[in-house]
PDB file of all heavy atoms in Angstrom:
ATOM      1  N   ASP D 109     -18.519 -36.773  45.608  1.00 97.00           N
ATOM      2  CA  ASP D 109     -18.393 -37.340  46.971  1.00 97.00           C
ATOM      3  C   ASP D 109     -18.079 -36.268  48.024  1.00 97.00           C
ATOM      4  O   ASP D 109     -17.947 -36.586  49.210  1.00 97.00           O
ATOM      5  CB  ASP D 109     -17.325 -38.434  46.982  1.00 97.00           C
ATOM      6  CG  ASP D 109     -15.913 -37.897  46.685  1.00 97.00           C
ATOM      7  OD1 ASP D 109     -15.749 -36.689  46.484  1.00 97.00           O
ATOM      8  OD2 ASP D 109     -14.979 -38.719  46.674  1.00 97.00           O
ATOM      9  N   GLY D 110     -18.008 -35.006  47.590  1.00 97.00           N
ATOM     10  CA  GLY D 110     -17.773 -33.934  48.559  1.00 97.00           C
ATOM     11  C   GLY D 110     -16.363 -33.847  49.085  1.00 97.00           C
ATOM     12  O   GLY D 110     -16.096 -33.088  50.047  1.00 97.00           O
ATOM     13  N   SER D 111     -15.411 -34.523  48.488  1.00 97.00           N
ATOM     14  CA  SER D 111     -14.048 -34.547  48.969  1.00 97.00           C
ATOM     15  C   SER D 111     -13.291 -33.262  48.652  1.00 97.00           C
ATOM     16  O   SER D 111     -12.225 -32.993  49.238  1.00 97.00           O
ATOM     17  CB  SER D 111     -13.283 -35.733  48.399  1.00 97.00           C
ATOM     18  OG  SER D 111     -13.308 -35.724  46.965  1.00 97.00           O
ATOM     19  N   ALA D 112     -13.773 -32.462  47.739  1.00 97.00           N
ATOM     20  CA  ALA D 112     -13.138 -31.184  47.419  1.00 97.00           C
ATOM     21  C   ALA D 112     -14.206 -30.217  46.888  1.00 97.00           C
ATOM     22  O   ALA D 112     -15.145 -30.616  46.179  1.00 97.00           O
ATOM     23  CB  ALA D 112     -12.020 -31.343  46.383  1.00 97.00           C
ATOM     24  N   GLY D 113     -14.089 -28.955  47.254  1.00 98.00           N
ATOM     25  CA  GLY D 113     -15.013 -27.949  46.750  1.00 98.00           C
ATOM     26  C   GLY D 113     -16.450 -28.189  47.173  1.00 98.00           C
ATOM     27  O   GLY D 113     -16.718 -28.709  48.258  1.00 98.00           O
ATOM     28  N   THR D 114     -17.356 -27.848  46.272  1.00 98.00           N
ATOM     29  CA  THR D 114     -18.798 -28.025  46.538  1.00 98.00           C
ATOM     30  C   THR D 114     -19.179 -29.506  46.400  1.00 98.00           C
ATOM     31  O   THR D 114     -18.746 -30.177  45.458  1.00 98.00           O
ATOM     32  CB  THR D 114     -19.614 -27.214  45.508  1.00 98.00           C
ATOM     33  OG1 THR D 114     -19.282 -25.811  45.656  1.00 98.00           O
ATOM     34  CG2 THR D 114     -21.095 -27.400  45.729  1.00 98.00           C
ATOM     35  N   LYS D 115     -19.975 -30.003  47.332  1.00 98.00           N
ATOM     36  CA  LYS D 115     -20.471 -31.370  47.195  1.00 98.00           C
ATOM     37  C   LYS D 115     -21.639 -31.355  46.193  1.00 98.00           C
ATOM     38  O   LYS D 115     -22.617 -30.661  46.378  1.00 98.00           O
ATOM     39  CB  LYS D 115     -20.968 -31.912  48.527  1.00 98.00           C
ATOM     40  CG  LYS D 115     -21.514 -33.368  48.442  1.00 98.00           C
ATOM     41  CD  LYS D 115     -21.890 -33.898  49.796  1.00 98.00           C
ATOM     42  CE  LYS D 115     -22.582 -35.240  49.711  1.00 98.00           C
ATOM     43  NZ  LYS D 115     -21.811 -36.267  48.969  1.00 98.00           N
ATOM     44  N   GLY D 116     -21.481 -32.111  45.124  1.00 98.00           N
ATOM     45  CA  GLY D 116     -22.495 -32.146  44.085  1.00 98.00           C
ATOM     46  C   GLY D 116     -21.896 -31.960  42.704  1.00 98.00           C
ATOM     47  O   GLY D 116     -20.840 -32.504  42.411  1.00 98.00           O
ATOM     48  N   ASN D 117     -22.547 -31.136  41.887  1.00 97.00           N
ATOM     49  CA  ASN D 117     -22.072 -30.904  40.523  1.00 97.00           C
ATOM     50  C   ASN D 117     -21.830 -29.444  40.257  1.00 97.00           C
ATOM     51  O   ASN D 117     -21.922 -28.609  41.169  1.00 97.00           O
ATOM     52  CB  ASN D 117     -23.094 -31.479  39.513  1.00 97.00           C
ATOM     53  CG  ASN D 117     -24.488 -30.902  39.717  1.00 97.00           C
ATOM     54  OD1 ASN D 117     -24.642 -29.703  39.972  1.00 97.00           O
ATOM     55  ND2 ASN D 117     -25.484 -31.762  39.614  1.00 97.00           N
ATOM     56  N   VAL D 118     -21.503 -29.126  39.015  1.00 98.00           N
ATOM     57  CA  VAL D 118     -21.131 -27.732  38.686  1.00 98.00           C
ATOM     58  C   VAL D 118     -22.314 -26.770  38.873  1.00 98.00           C
ATOM     59  O   VAL D 118     -22.112 -25.605  39.205  1.00 98.00           O
ATOM     60  CB  VAL D 118     -20.576 -27.635  37.250  1.00 98.00           C
ATOM     61  CG1 VAL D 118     -19.201 -28.217  37.143  1.00 98.00           C
ATOM     62  CG2 VAL D 118     -21.533 -28.270  36.240  1.00 98.00           C
ATOM     63  N   MET D 119     -23.531 -27.266  38.700  1.00 98.00           N
ATOM     64  CA  MET D 119     -24.676 -26.395  38.958  1.00 98.00           C
ATOM     65  C   MET D 119     -24.805 -26.054  40.433  1.00 98.00           C
ATOM     66  O   MET D 119     -25.147 -24.922  40.803  1.00 98.00           O
ATOM     67  CB  MET D 119     -25.960 -27.073  38.487  1.00 98.00           C
ATOM     68  CG  MET D 119     -25.950 -27.484  37.003  1.00 98.00           C
ATOM     69  SD  MET D 119     -25.495 -26.106  35.872  1.00 98.00           S
ATOM     70  CE  MET D 119     -26.809 -24.934  36.183  1.00 98.00           C
ATOM     71  N   ASP D 120     -24.461 -27.017  41.291  1.00 98.00           N
ATOM     72  CA  ASP D 120     -24.456 -26.740  42.738  1.00 98.00           C
ATOM     73  C   ASP D 120     -23.396 -25.708  43.094  1.00 98.00           C
ATOM     74  O   ASP D 120     -23.582 -24.879  44.006  1.00 98.00           O
ATOM     75  CB  ASP D 120     -24.216 -28.041  43.502  1.00 98.00           C
ATOM     76  CG  ASP D 120     -25.309 -29.055  43.325  1.00 98.00           C
ATOM     77  OD1 ASP D 120     -26.495 -28.674  43.430  1.00 98.00           O
ATOM     78  OD2 ASP D 120     -24.999 -30.244  43.057  1.00 98.00           O
ATOM     79  N   ALA D 121     -22.253 -25.773  42.376  1.00 98.00           N
ATOM     80  CA  ALA D 121     -21.163 -24.800  42.639  1.00 98.00           C
ATOM     81  C   ALA D 121     -21.590 -23.387  42.252  1.00 98.00           C
ATOM     82  O   ALA D 121     -21.229 -22.417  42.931  1.00 98.00           O
ATOM     83  CB  ALA D 121     -19.909 -25.201  41.864  1.00 98.00           C
ATOM     84  N   ILE D 122     -22.373 -23.252  41.173  1.00 98.00           N
ATOM     85  CA  ILE D 122     -22.900 -21.930  40.804  1.00 98.00           C
ATOM     86  C   ILE D 122     -23.775 -21.383  41.925  1.00 98.00           C
ATOM     87  O   ILE D 122     -23.643 -20.204  42.336  1.00 98.00           O
ATOM     88  CB  ILE D 122     -23.722 -22.034  39.501  1.00 98.00           C
ATOM     89  CG1 ILE D 122     -22.793 -22.284  38.305  1.00 98.00           C
ATOM     90  CG2 ILE D 122     -24.537 -20.747  39.281  1.00 98.00           C
ATOM     91  CD1 ILE D 122     -23.551 -22.503  36.995  1.00 98.00           C
ATOM     92  N   LYS D 123     -24.649 -22.220  42.452  1.00 98.00           N
ATOM     93  CA  LYS D 123     -25.567 -21.764  43.493  1.00 98.00           C
ATOM     94  C   LYS D 123     -24.818 -21.447  44.776  1.00 98.00           C
ATOM     95  O   LYS D 123     -25.073 -20.413  45.420  1.00 98.00           O
ATOM     96  CB  LYS D 123     -26.617 -22.856  43.770  1.00 98.00           C
ATOM     97  CG  LYS D 123     -27.543 -23.126  42.593  1.00 98.00           C
ATOM     98  CD  LYS D 123     -28.431 -24.335  42.866  1.00 98.00           C
ATOM     99  CE  LYS D 123     -29.249 -24.709  41.653  1.00 98.00           C
ATOM    100  NZ  LYS D 123     -30.035 -25.962  41.886  1.00 98.00           N
ATOM    101  N   GLU D 124     -23.921 -22.329  45.198  1.00 98.00           N
ATOM    102  CA  GLU D 124     -23.216 -22.154  46.460  1.00 98.00           C
ATOM    103  C   GLU D 124     -22.375 -20.866  46.455  1.00 98.00           C
ATOM    104  O   GLU D 124     -22.243 -20.201  47.496  1.00 98.00           O
ATOM    105  CB  GLU D 124     -22.313 -23.344  46.721  1.00 98.00           C
ATOM    106  CG  GLU D 124     -21.560 -23.259  48.048  1.00 98.00           C
ATOM    107  CD  GLU D 124     -20.845 -24.554  48.370  1.00 98.00           C
ATOM    108  OE1 GLU D 124     -21.490 -25.471  48.863  1.00 98.00           O
ATOM    109  OE2 GLU D 124     -19.619 -24.625  48.130  1.00 98.00           O
ATOM    110  N   ASN D 125     -21.826 -20.516  45.313  1.00 98.00           N
ATOM    111  CA  ASN D 125     -20.947 -19.326  45.227  1.00 98.00           C
ATOM    112  C   ASN D 125     -21.655 -18.102  44.656  1.00 98.00           C
ATOM    113  O   ASN D 125     -20.990 -17.049  44.441  1.00 98.00           O
ATOM    114  CB  ASN D 125     -19.711 -19.671  44.396  1.00 98.00           C
ATOM    115  CG  ASN D 125     -18.845 -20.737  45.037  1.00 98.00           C
ATOM    116  OD1 ASN D 125     -18.094 -20.436  45.941  1.00 98.00           O
ATOM    117  ND2 ASN D 125     -18.945 -21.973  44.542  1.00 98.00           N
ATOM    118  N   ALA D 126     -22.950 -18.205  44.407  1.00 98.00           N
ATOM    119  CA  ALA D 126     -23.762 -17.099  43.899  1.00 98.00           C
ATOM    120  C   ALA D 126     -23.171 -16.471  42.644  1.00 98.00           C
ATOM    121  O   ALA D 126     -23.010 -15.252  42.556  1.00 98.00           O
ATOM    122  CB  ALA D 126     -23.974 -16.037  45.005  1.00 98.00           C
ATOM    123  N   LEU D 127     -22.804 -17.309  41.696  1.00 98.00           N
ATOM    124  CA  LEU D 127     -22.127 -16.848  40.491  1.00 98.00           C
ATOM    125  C   LEU D 127     -23.116 -16.463  39.392  1.00 98.00           C
ATOM    126  O   LEU D 127     -24.223 -17.033  39.302  1.00 98.00           O
ATOM    127  CB  LEU D 127     -21.181 -17.938  39.975  1.00 98.00           C
ATOM    128  CG  LEU D 127     -20.148 -18.456  40.935  1.00 98.00           C
ATOM    129  CD1 LEU D 127     -19.337 -19.596  40.325  1.00 98.00           C
ATOM    130  CD2 LEU D 127     -19.190 -17.316  41.369  1.00 98.00           C
ATOM    131  N   THR D 128     -22.719 -15.515  38.562  1.00 97.00           N
ATOM    132  CA  THR D 128     -23.533 -15.101  37.431  1.00 97.00           C
ATOM    133  C   THR D 128     -22.628 -14.944  36.204  1.00 97.00           C
ATOM    134  O   THR D 128     -21.424 -14.753  36.346  1.00 97.00           O
ATOM    135  CB  THR D 128     -24.264 -13.772  37.688  1.00 97.00           C
ATOM    136  OG1 THR D 128     -23.279 -12.750  37.942  1.00 97.00           O
ATOM    137  CG2 THR D 128     -25.205 -13.878  38.862  1.00 97.00           C
ATOM    138  N   ALA D 129     -23.230 -15.028  35.033  1.00 98.00           N
ATOM    139  CA  ALA D 129     -22.456 -14.903  33.782  1.00 98.00           C
ATOM    140  C   ALA D 129     -23.382 -14.458  32.679  1.00 98.00           C
ATOM    141  O   ALA D 129     -24.606 -14.576  32.742  1.00 98.00           O
ATOM    142  CB  ALA D 129     -21.792 -16.209  33.435  1.00 98.00           C
ATOM    143  N   ASP D 130     -22.744 -13.958  31.595  1.00 98.00           N
ATOM    144  CA  ASP D 130     -23.486 -13.549  30.391  1.00 98.00           C
ATOM    145  C   ASP D 130     -23.545 -14.661  29.355  1.00 98.00           C
ATOM    146  O   ASP D 130     -24.493 -14.727  28.580  1.00 98.00           O
ATOM    147  CB  ASP D 130     -22.802 -12.335  29.746  1.00 98.00           C
ATOM    148  CG  ASP D 130     -22.642 -11.162  30.676  1.00 98.00           C
ATOM    149  OD1 ASP D 130     -23.611 -10.830  31.399  1.00 98.00           O
ATOM    150  OD2 ASP D 130     -21.510 -10.610  30.731  1.00 98.00           O
ATOM    151  N   VAL D 131     -22.523 -15.506  29.342  1.00 98.00           N
ATOM    152  CA  VAL D 131     -22.393 -16.567  28.328  1.00 98.00           C
ATOM    153  C   VAL D 131     -21.852 -17.795  29.035  1.00 98.00           C
ATOM    154  O   VAL D 131     -21.081 -17.718  29.993  1.00 98.00           O
ATOM    155  CB  VAL D 131     -21.446 -16.132  27.179  1.00 98.00           C
ATOM    156  CG1 VAL D 131     -21.346 -17.244  26.126  1.00 98.00           C
ATOM    157  CG2 VAL D 131     -21.918 -14.853  26.549  1.00 98.00           C
ATOM    158  N   ILE D 132     -22.246 -18.979  28.492  1.00 98.00           N
ATOM    159  CA  ILE D 132     -21.745 -20.265  29.036  1.00 98.00           C
ATOM    160  C   ILE D 132     -21.107 -21.052  27.892  1.00 98.00           C
ATOM    161  O   ILE D 132     -21.642 -21.149  26.809  1.00 98.00           O
ATOM    162  CB  ILE D 132     -22.879 -21.105  29.638  1.00 98.00           C
ATOM    163  CG1 ILE D 132     -23.493 -20.395  30.849  1.00 98.00           C
ATOM    164  CG2 ILE D 132     -22.378 -22.508  30.028  1.00 98.00           C
ATOM    165  CD1 ILE D 132     -24.755 -21.104  31.384  1.00 98.00           C
ATOM    166  N   PHE D 133     -19.921 -21.586  28.173  1.00 98.00           N
ATOM    167  CA  PHE D 133     -19.277 -22.579  27.310  1.00 98.00           C
ATOM    168  C   PHE D 133     -19.105 -23.845  28.169  1.00 98.00           C
ATOM    169  O   PHE D 133     -18.530 -23.785  29.235  1.00 98.00           O
ATOM    170  CB  PHE D 133     -17.913 -22.110  26.813  1.00 98.00           C
ATOM    171  CG  PHE D 133     -17.960 -20.913  25.896  1.00 98.00           C
ATOM    172  CD1 PHE D 133     -17.231 -19.764  26.215  1.00 98.00           C
ATOM    173  CD2 PHE D 133     -18.692 -20.930  24.738  1.00 98.00           C
ATOM    174  CE1 PHE D 133     -17.240 -18.662  25.362  1.00 98.00           C
ATOM    175  CE2 PHE D 133     -18.770 -19.853  23.905  1.00 98.00           C
ATOM    176  CZ  PHE D 133     -18.017 -18.689  24.189  1.00 98.00           C
ATOM    177  N   ALA D 134     -19.556 -25.025  27.653  1.00 97.00           N
ATOM    178  CA  ALA D 134     -19.540 -26.197  28.504  1.00 97.00           C
ATOM    179  C   ALA D 134     -19.268 -27.469  27.722  1.00 97.00           C
ATOM    180  O   ALA D 134     -19.601 -27.584  26.529  1.00 97.00           O
ATOM    181  CB  ALA D 134     -20.883 -26.323  29.244  1.00 97.00           C
ATOM    182  N   CYS D 135     -18.668 -28.425  28.401  1.00 95.00           N
ATOM    183  CA  CYS D 135     -18.450 -29.783  27.885  1.00 95.00           C
ATOM    184  C   CYS D 135     -18.540 -30.795  29.032  1.00 95.00           C
ATOM    185  O   CYS D 135     -17.964 -30.551  30.091  1.00 95.00           O
ATOM    186  CB  CYS D 135     -17.078 -29.881  27.185  1.00 95.00           C
ATOM    187  SG  CYS D 135     -16.790 -31.476  26.422  1.00 95.00           S
ATOM    188  N   GLY D 136     -19.275 -31.853  28.823  1.00 94.00           N
ATOM    189  CA  GLY D 136     -19.406 -32.826  29.904  1.00 94.00           C
ATOM    190  C   GLY D 136     -20.456 -33.867  29.570  1.00 94.00           C
ATOM    191  O   GLY D 136     -20.987 -33.910  28.440  1.00 94.00           O
ATOM    192  N   PRO D 137     -20.828 -34.687  30.525  1.00 93.00           N
ATOM    193  CA  PRO D 137     -21.818 -35.725  30.300  1.00 93.00           C
ATOM    194  C   PRO D 137     -23.203 -35.142  30.053  1.00 93.00           C
ATOM    195  O   PRO D 137     -23.505 -34.005  30.423  1.00 93.00           O
ATOM    196  CB  PRO D 137     -21.797 -36.537  31.586  1.00 93.00           C
ATOM    197  CG  PRO D 137     -21.244 -35.607  32.611  1.00 93.00           C
ATOM    198  CD  PRO D 137     -20.300 -34.708  31.894  1.00 93.00           C
ATOM    199  N   MET D 138     -24.043 -35.920  29.389  1.00 91.00           N
ATOM    200  CA  MET D 138     -25.363 -35.410  28.957  1.00 91.00           C
ATOM    201  C   MET D 138     -26.202 -34.862  30.099  1.00 91.00           C
ATOM    202  O   MET D 138     -26.860 -33.821  29.916  1.00 91.00           O
ATOM    203  CB  MET D 138     -26.103 -36.506  28.189  1.00 91.00           C
ATOM    204  CG  MET D 138     -27.287 -35.963  27.416  1.00 91.00           C
ATOM    205  SD  MET D 138     -26.812 -34.698  26.178  1.00 91.00           S
ATOM    206  CE  MET D 138     -26.012 -35.733  24.940  1.00 91.00           C
ATOM    207  N   PRO D 139     -26.303 -35.506  31.275  1.00 94.00           N
ATOM    208  CA  PRO D 139     -27.121 -34.910  32.336  1.00 94.00           C
ATOM    209  C   PRO D 139     -26.651 -33.515  32.725  1.00 94.00           C
ATOM    210  O   PRO D 139     -27.485 -32.629  32.992  1.00 94.00           O
ATOM    211  CB  PRO D 139     -26.927 -35.899  33.498  1.00 94.00           C
ATOM    212  CG  PRO D 139     -26.592 -37.205  32.854  1.00 94.00           C
ATOM    213  CD  PRO D 139     -25.772 -36.844  31.662  1.00 94.00           C
ATOM    214  N   MET D 140     -25.350 -33.290  32.723  1.00 96.00           N
ATOM    215  CA  MET D 140     -24.796 -31.961  33.038  1.00 96.00           C
ATOM    216  C   MET D 140     -25.224 -30.969  31.964  1.00 96.00           C
ATOM    217  O   MET D 140     -25.658 -29.840  32.241  1.00 96.00           O
ATOM    218  CB  MET D 140     -23.291 -32.029  33.130  1.00 96.00           C
ATOM    219  CG  MET D 140     -22.593 -30.703  33.161  1.00 96.00           C
ATOM    220  SD  MET D 140     -20.784 -30.887  33.121  1.00 96.00           S
ATOM    221  CE  MET D 140     -20.310 -29.321  32.375  1.00 96.00           C
ATOM    222  N   LEU D 141     -25.133 -31.356  30.692  1.00 95.00           N
ATOM    223  CA  LEU D 141     -25.460 -30.464  29.592  1.00 95.00           C
ATOM    224  C   LEU D 141     -26.962 -30.159  29.582  1.00 95.00           C
ATOM    225  O   LEU D 141     -27.357 -29.015  29.279  1.00 95.00           O
ATOM    226  CB  LEU D 141     -25.021 -31.035  28.253  1.00 95.00           C
ATOM    227  CG  LEU D 141     -23.515 -31.279  28.098  1.00 95.00           C
ATOM    228  CD1 LEU D 141     -23.218 -31.822  26.705  1.00 95.00           C
ATOM    229  CD2 LEU D 141     -22.711 -29.985  28.355  1.00 95.00           C
ATOM    230  N   ARG D 142     -27.781 -31.119  29.922  1.00 95.00           N
ATOM    231  CA  ARG D 142     -29.218 -30.850  30.019  1.00 95.00           C
ATOM    232  C   ARG D 142     -29.516 -29.849  31.092  1.00 95.00           C
ATOM    233  O   ARG D 142     -30.372 -28.940  30.895  1.00 95.00           O
ATOM    234  CB  ARG D 142     -29.990 -32.138  30.293  1.00 95.00           C
ATOM    235  CG  ARG D 142     -29.994 -33.134  29.139  1.00 95.00           C
ATOM    236  CD  ARG D 142     -31.007 -34.256  29.386  1.00 95.00           C
ATOM    237  NE  ARG D 142     -30.924 -35.276  28.349  1.00 95.00           N
ATOM    238  CZ  ARG D 142     -30.361 -36.474  28.485  1.00 95.00           C
ATOM    239  NH1 ARG D 142     -29.843 -36.815  29.648  1.00 95.00           N
ATOM    240  NH2 ARG D 142     -30.337 -37.313  27.478  1.00 95.00           N
ATOM    241  N   ALA D 143     -28.845 -29.976  32.226  1.00 97.00           N
ATOM    242  CA  ALA D 143     -29.066 -29.030  33.328  1.00 97.00           C
ATOM    243  C   ALA D 143     -28.616 -27.637  32.954  1.00 97.00           C
ATOM    244  O   ALA D 143     -29.257 -26.625  33.275  1.00 97.00           O
ATOM    245  CB  ALA D 143     -28.302 -29.508  34.578  1.00 97.00           C
ATOM    246  N   ILE D 144     -27.505 -27.538  32.221  1.00 97.00           N
ATOM    247  CA  ILE D 144     -26.988 -26.257  31.769  1.00 97.00           C
ATOM    248  C   ILE D 144     -27.935 -25.614  30.757  1.00 97.00           C
ATOM    249  O   ILE D 144     -28.228 -24.422  30.817  1.00 97.00           O
ATOM    250  CB  ILE D 144     -25.586 -26.404  31.157  1.00 97.00           C
ATOM    251  CG1 ILE D 144     -24.581 -26.720  32.274  1.00 97.00           C
ATOM    252  CG2 ILE D 144     -25.167 -25.167  30.385  1.00 97.00           C
ATOM    253  CD1 ILE D 144     -23.202 -27.111  31.771  1.00 97.00           C
TER     254      ILE D 144
END
């Protein structure tokens, strides 16, 4: 709902903050895991 941080999901937060990584560890709902 955009009430805190990036409006959207964790993938949007990666884009908004221009983040990069070598490895990902994740847990969450299936749509999130598919996107990851």
Side-chain angles (χ1 to χ4, degrees):
D109 65 1
S111 57
T114 299
K115 180 176 173 55
N117 56 40
V118 288
M119 303 308 298
D120 296 314
I122 289 175
K123 296 173 186 175
E124 182 171 280
N125 295 282
L127 303 177
T128 60
D130 305 313
V131 181
I132 296 172
F133 294 124
C135 184
M138 195 60 73
M140 168 185 154
L141 298 182
R142 291 192 185 104
I144 289 171

